[in-house]
Amino acid sequence: MQKNTFKFKITLFGAGGVGKTSLLIRYIKDYFNPELKQTIGSNFLIKDVEVENTNVRLLLWDIGGQEQFSKLRQIYFKGSNGAFGVYDVTSQPSLLKLPGWISSIKKSVKKSIPMIIVGNKTDLKRQVERSEAEDLVKRLNCCDYLETSAKTGENVEQAFKKIAKACLESVKEA
Ligand code: G3D
Ligand code: MG
């Protein structure tokens, strides 16, 4: 790792089953495993990227199968530089869980951090209107909204790039 590398902790959040682990695996390893089992515990994966001629190391945290335990959430979010929220475009309840997650983040992280929301599983028949998701994302003050498919790979790289870029901009502003 070069000396001038920025390190950002980016935490994934969202309801169980929306595709957080699949998105991470698609991004890091470029494959999709339909047999993927529910993650146990939280994992983190590392990806080195270049953003605007700057070396950035992303520490990507995946909460695993314990999404429902709010005490764990606080530990998990602590020290995050950015957050990556996921819902499933075939599940309205998964969209409506995002505000609760974001209030957990605000309780755990003192300063305001960039957040991106992705609507995943665009390869399936959607149940949530894009405009509804966009409205919510705007109300939640997230920096961006994208739609992805961990299955086809659509927009996956772009989504992680956006959050990396937003993290970099936030440290440069500070
Ligand atoms: P999670 O980590 O948010 O809990 P997972 O979600 O990554 O474990 O994914 C939950 C299920 O959704 C998995 O299926 C996975 O294969 C599927 N999935 C994830 N992303 C996509 C996607 O973009 N498109 C489609 N069609 N399916 C996706 P199983 O059957 O193992 O539960
Ligand atoms: Mg998982």
Side-chain angles (χ1 to χ4, degrees), residues 15-22 36-41 43 62-67:
V18 295
K20 299 180 294 299
T21 305
S22 303
L36 199 73
K37 294 284 165 270
Q38 202 188 14
T39 330
I40 297 169
N43 303 316
D62 181 11
I63 196 165
Q66 281 128 8
E67 289 93 344

Side-chain angles (χ1 to χ4, degrees), residues 13-32:
F13 66 95
V18 295
K20 299 180 294 299
T21 305
S22 303
L23 284 166
L24 267 185
I25 293 175
R26 164 62 75 187
Y27 180 52
I28 306 271
K29 304 210 166 89
D30 202 20
Y31 73 75
F32 178 78

Side-chain angles (χ1 to χ4, degrees), residues 86-124:
V86 185
Y87 81 96
D88 170 352
V89 297
T90 73
S91 156
Q92 177 126 24
S94 74
L95 177 71
L96 300 180
K97 283 192 177 147
L98 293 173
W101 278 97
I102 290 181
S103 53
S104 297
I105 297 174
K106 289 186 173 153
K107 274 185 218 147
S108 327
V109 185
K110 285 179 199 88
K111 54 183 188 326
S112 110
I113 56 170
M115 287 185 268
I116 186 173
I117 301 293
V118 312
N120 187 44
K121 307 198 188 181
T122 53
D123 58 287
L124 300 177

